[in-house]
Amino acid sequence: MKIIFISDLHLSPDTPEKNQLFYALLAKWQGTIDALYILGDFFDYWLGDDDRNPFISEMERQLANFAATTRVYFRGGNHDFALGKKFAKKCNITLIPDLYTINLNGNITLLSHGDTFCTLDIGYQKMKRILQNPVTIFLLKLLPLTWRYKIKEQLEQKSHTTPNGKPDYIYCVVNEAIVDFAEDTGATWVIHGHTHRPGIFTIANSKIRQLTRFEIPDWQDNPAGGYLLFDGEKIEIVAAQ
Ligand code: MN
């Protein structure tokens, strides 16, 4: 049993080399792994399943080809939460909710993009509740695509020019929050991305005997890329190239 977990590739038409690296990995994995979990910020932005360009068409072709032999599960992140059923159906991939659990060799494993665990970033959590509300997503998708691109550009400019002065720890995952979510589900393993601080960490706590947090390597701040591999027993970090 081999399962791969990836996230935070931040792929777009502007990242041709990373896109090719991902396609090469799909070719390598095909027929050798049992499932692929994509846990968000796979795309650097997703403005709706009606957006068409050569990059999206090629990705669709690659994913559909891979998913013909291997199960692919997808959970959006803060950059691609708007990815919807239409795209999933075309690629034959399965959308999963946040805080989804799977059983890995007896270890109940909690899957999330990871932003849910950044509970100290109150401003972000407020914005997420509004932006990722199904009503907001429905309304945004009614806007012409050119307007959605304008809104995206304005949001990007704003985030680049507004100094927020928040200390770094605000953007980190909060162990207490992870313990609470894990306790609710009985999980002893947690897999996520989002903060671009990959690694394997043990969370000491009094509630759960042992909790291990696996953070997936991103492909943005760590340009060499990487992913998590479950080999049937344990999980390790593997370099993408
Ligand atoms: Mn993210």
Side-chain angles (χ1 to χ4, degrees):
M1 171 69 74
K2 276 190 181 172
I3 301 178
I4 304 271
F5 300 88
I6 56 170
S7 75
D8 300 271
L9 282 70
H10 291 270
L11 303 181
S12 79
D14 303 325
T15 59
E17 283 169 21
K18 284 196 285 183
N19 304 343
Q20 290 306 322
L21 177 57
F22 176 68
Y23 301 150
L25 285 174
L26 284 184
K28 186 176 117 179
W29 293 335
Q30 190 142 36
T32 67
I33 67 165
D34 299 281
L36 170 65
Y37 283 84
I38 301 174
L39 296 182
D41 291 2
F42 176 71
F43 292 107
D44 195 44
Y45 55 88
W46 190 266
L47 301 181
D49 293 1
D50 54 338
D51 193 6
R52 305 300 312 171
N53 61 48
F55 159 69
I56 291 172
S57 304
E58 177 61 10
M59 181 59 78
E60 214 171 79
R61 199 183 68 76
Q62 293 272 354
L63 284 174
N65 177 48
F66 185 76
T69 59
T70 313
R71 296 293 296 269
V72 179
Y73 300 89
F74 187 98
R75 168 68 205 171
N78 47 311
H79 285 251
D80 51 8
F81 61 86
L83 191 140
K85 287 180 192 148
K86 270 189 201 153
F87 182 78
K89 202 175 168 201
K90 273 189 200 159
C91 306
N92 194 24
I93 62 177
T94 306
L95 299 179
I96 57 170
D98 189 24
L99 302 171
Y100 186 73
T101 53
I102 57 172
N103 190 322
L104 296 177
N105 192 33
N107 302 284
I108 309 268
T109 306
L110 183 62
L111 308 180
S112 174
H113 173 57
D115 49 340
T116 303
F117 304 140
C118 300
T119 49
L120 293 177
D121 195 352
I122 310 282
Y124 170 78
Q125 295 297 345
K126 267 189 196 157
M127 196 188 69
K128 182 185 169 189
R129 267 199 293 280
I130 298 168
L131 213 55
Q132 300 196 25
N133 185 299
V135 177
T136 312
I137 295 175
F138 174 78
L139 292 174
L140 280 172
K141 283 177 179 172
L142 293 178
L143 296 175
L145 194 54
T146 48
W147 290 26
R148 280 177 261 157
Y149 265 94
K150 274 197 191 116
I151 294 172
K152 164 192 169 282
E153 279 154 25
Q154 275 169 4
L155 286 174
E156 276 172 356
Q157 251 173 15
K158 208 179 154 206
S159 73
H160 285 144
T161 53
T162 316
N164 62 31
K166 284 187 204 168
D168 206 37
Y169 70 85
I170 294 285
Y171 303 105
C172 292
V173 295
V174 176
N175 282 349
E176 289 78 5
I178 295 177
V179 169
D180 284 345
F181 286 117
E183 204 195 20
D184 287 347
T185 55
T188 49
W189 286 2
V190 178
I191 296 178
H192 70 90
H194 180 63
T195 77
H196 299 195
R197 292 173 171 91
I200 300 175
F201 310 89
T202 303
I203 300 180
N205 67 92
S206 54
K207 291 183 180 171
I208 295 167
R209 203 156 28 95
Q210 199 188 15
L211 187 60
T212 310
R213 175 172 82 82
F214 303 86
E215 179 156 353
I216 306 166
D218 63 279
W219 292 25
Q220 195 170 48
D221 298 322
N222 305 296
Y227 53 88
L228 295 182
L229 168 68
F230 171 71
D231 64 5
E233 264 180 53
K234 60 184 188 320
I235 295 175
E236 59 180 357
I237 294 177
V238 180
Q241 51 189 356

